[in-house]
């Protein structure tokens, strides 16, 4: 079980994680965070759960959240338009990748927009949910699911070949409290970069981990499926894909599969 008091002792942030609500079992940290944000929770409030019964992934997929994982959501209140919120997802993926590199010397890869992979297997997913009034963001909930101290064999069979855990990659259990502290600090630092509108710095950090850039990809979203080469992200965080006929497509949602041939 996580020791929240130890997290509070080790935490080096100004506001992210300064208020933590911890649950042994809840539906979804994102759902609870959204409720608390509507009830005026302050910026940086963090919801952490030991397990989730209705963990949510992107595109309405379930997110399996066994004990030993890191399942948390952070409430942010940036003064931005809805379009800018995509960059917060990218910044969070960078925060996860940097934490893994700094703590374990582990070179994780980011796949647009929000997957963190090791050896092409998913280690972490990020679900950003935004509430807005007209065009302006009211709050953003950033949910992070990091497969930490459990075996992927405990996941449903169809996930075992596509998912991995830190325990498997590093061949040992990790100090979850320390990892959470480092992660919250990276999130805060990158969020400050974002708020200072240093988008180019942010996107460059993201590009450094986005090894799929330059590779052939297949994009699947609710209305279509197409192939091309993932060229870059633009200044809004959208993925730019070059099609065989040379035209450029801007991708704002969907799944990216990296083609090996
Ligand atoms: C994805 O890759 O599809 C996103 C997965 C996000 C999972 C995390 S776990 C903590 C937070 N609470 C949720 O219900 N989802 C996110």
């Amino acid at each position: 079980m996580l020791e929240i008091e130890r997290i509070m002792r080790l935490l080096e942030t100004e506001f992210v994680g300064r208020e933590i609500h911890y649950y042994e079992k809840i539906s979804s940290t994102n759902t609870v965070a959204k409720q608390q944000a509507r009830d005026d929770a302050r910026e940086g409030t963090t919801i952490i759960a030991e397990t989730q019964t209705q963990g949510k992934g992107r595109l309405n997929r379930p997110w399996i959240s066994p004990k030993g994982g890191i399942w948390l959501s952070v409430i942010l209140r940036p003064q931005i338009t809805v379009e800018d919120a995509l960059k917060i997802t990218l910044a969070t993926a960078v925060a996860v990748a940097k934490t893994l590199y700094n703590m374990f010397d582990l070179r994780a890869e980011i796949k647009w927009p929000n997957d963190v992979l090791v050896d092409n297997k998913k280690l972490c997913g990020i679900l950003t949910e935004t509430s807005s009034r007209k065009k302006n963001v009211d709050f953003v909930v950033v949910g992070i699911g990091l497969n930490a101290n459990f075996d992927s064999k405990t996941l449903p069979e169809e996930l075992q070949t596509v998912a991995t855990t830190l325990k498997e990659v590093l061949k040992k259990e990790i100090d979850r409290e320390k990892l959470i502290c480092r992660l919250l600090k990276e999130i805060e630092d990158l969020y400050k970069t974002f708020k200072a509108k240093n988008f180019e710095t942010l996107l460059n950090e993201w590009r450094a981990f986005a090894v799929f850039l330059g590779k052939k990809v297949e994009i699947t979203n609710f209305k279509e499926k197409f192939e091309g080469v993932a060229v870059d992200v633009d200044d809004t965080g959208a993925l730019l894909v070059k099609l065989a006929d040379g035209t450029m497509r801007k991708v704002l949602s969907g799944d990216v599969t990296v083609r090996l041939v």
Side-chain angles (χ1 to χ4, degrees):
M1 301 277 266
L2 286 164
E3 203 194 311
I4 301 303
E5 276 166 18
R6 182 159 175 258
I7 295 180
M8 297 317 282
R9 272 200 310 278
L10 295 175
L11 199 62
E12 289 176 0
T13 58
E14 223 174 88
F15 58 95
V16 171
R18 284 287 152 199
E19 188 166 327
I20 292 181
H21 298 264
Y22 169 72
Y23 302 83
E24 253 184 78
K25 191 194 241 183
I26 47 168
S27 54
S28 146
T29 55
N30 265 37
T31 306
V32 172
K34 282 194 290 182
Q35 189 50 54
Q36 298 201 356
R38 282 192 285 267
D39 293 344
D40 290 333
R42 65 178 160 131
E43 183 165 65
T45 299
T46 300
I47 317 298
I48 305 181
E50 212 67 61
T51 57
Q52 303 182 111
T53 52
Q54 284 168 335
K56 296 184 295 180
R58 280 176 69 235
L59 311 169
N60 285 327
R61 293 178 187 134
W63 182 263
I64 313 293
S65 324
K67 275 191 188 143
I70 293 177
W71 322 122
L72 63 82
S73 304
V74 179
I75 298 171
L76 298 174
R77 297 188 178 280
Q79 288 175 349
I80 54 169
T81 58
V82 181
E83 296 83 68
D84 272 342
L86 178 57
K87 288 198 278 281
I88 294 187
T89 304
L90 303 188
T92 309
V94 175
V96 173
K98 277 179 100 171
T99 304
L100 297 175
Y101 184 63
N102 292 336
M103 273 187 87
F104 311 114
D105 212 14
L106 182 63
R107 266 259 154 221
E109 300 177 357
I110 297 177
K111 193 178 75 165
W112 189 91
N114 65 346
D115 289 355
V116 180
L117 314 174
V118 172
D119 295 334
N120 276 323
K121 289 184 170 184
K122 185 152 163 174
L123 181 67
C124 173
I126 296 157
L127 178 67
T128 310
E129 295 189 83
T130 304
S131 164
S132 54
R133 290 198 191 130
K134 300 212 173 117
K135 281 192 87 181
N136 293 324
V137 164
D138 187 17
F139 63 80
V140 176
V141 165
V142 181
I144 300 173
L146 179 55
N147 298 339
N149 290 343
F150 62 89
D151 293 311
S152 57
K153 284 187 191 63
T154 57
L155 294 171
E157 216 175 304
E158 67 276 15
L159 295 180
Q160 290 180 17
T161 49
V162 292
T164 191
T165 71
L166 274 180
K167 188 178 167 193
E168 279 171 4
V169 173
L170 301 172
K171 302 193 172 42
K172 62 170 189 197
E173 296 214 341
I174 53 103
D175 182 335
R176 285 189 302 157
E177 282 107 354
K178 245 190 208 166
L179 196 153
I180 289 172
C181 290
R182 300 280 289 261
L183 179 58
L184 295 177
K185 176 78 170 110
E186 290 292 354
I187 291 174
E188 183 173 287
D189 288 350
L190 285 154
Y191 180 57
K192 284 180 180 167
T193 307
F194 168 81
K195 286 218 300 190
K197 298 206 184 322
N198 288 332
F199 298 147
E200 209 38 46
T201 309
L202 203 67
L203 293 176
N204 278 338
E205 291 217 57
W206 186 87
R207 285 180 185 110
F209 289 102
V211 267
F212 77 103
L213 289 178
K215 293 192 178 148
K216 203 167 170 189
V217 292
E218 184 177 273
I219 310 293
T220 315
N221 61 31
F222 59 96
K223 50 177 195 226
E224 59 182 346
K225 199 175 196 165
F226 61 91
E227 275 188 8
V229 174
V231 177
D232 200 1
V233 278
D234 71 7
D235 55 6
T236 68
L239 179 66
L240 300 175
V241 178
K242 193 173 186 181
L243 308 188
D245 67 5
T247 52
M248 204 66 99
R249 286 283 288 273
K250 191 167 157 167
V251 182
L252 286 162
S253 71
D255 270 336
V256 177
T257 313
V258 181
R259 306 297 298 255
L260 297 172
V261 283

